[in-house]
Amino acid sequence: MKKSNNKLVAKVVVAVSVLSIVGVLSQQVEKELDKEEVKAYVQENFKEDDNNEEHINFENGNQNEDSFLEYIGF
């Protein structure tokens, strides 16, 4: 019974580790994006819908993550 518990714990640790690594990598990629280039691309290639009053906030990505879970991308 202990071997099956150890295997389960090992699988959970591996899964959490993989998800954490993917989250950290996604944060690094997000920081490397040229926000002005993305803004220009969106403005050039997407049509504005007057029925939807929500606007894209390009300044939102400049905030620091408040928690560890936000830092790793969750």
Side-chain angles (χ1 to χ4, degrees):
M1 186 110 175
K2 267 192 165 183
K3 282 188 177 184
S4 64
N5 284 341
N6 289 341
K7 286 183 180 181
L8 178 62
V9 170
K11 288 180 181 179
V12 169
V13 167
V14 168
V16 169
S17 299
V18 167
L19 287 174
S20 297
I21 290 170
V22 168
V24 169
L25 290 175
S26 71
Q27 291 293 317
Q28 292 303 319
V29 168
E30 182 180 337
K31 288 179 183 178
E32 295 294 321
L33 289 175
D34 183 3
K35 289 182 178 66
E36 290 302 317
E37 185 66 29
V38 172
K39 181 179 178 180
Y41 178 83
V42 168
Q43 289 174 341
E44 182 177 316
N45 293 301
F46 291 93
K47 294 180 181 178
E48 185 174 342
D49 183 7
D50 291 337
N51 295 333
N52 187 0
E53 294 184 13
E54 292 183 27
H55 298 286
I56 297 172
N57 183 1
F58 290 99
E59 304 301 321
N60 197 18
N62 295 334
Q63 297 175 353
N64 292 333
E65 289 79 18
D66 292 334
S67 70
F68 178 73
L69 287 177
E70 288 179 4
Y71 179 75
I72 62 172
F74 295 104

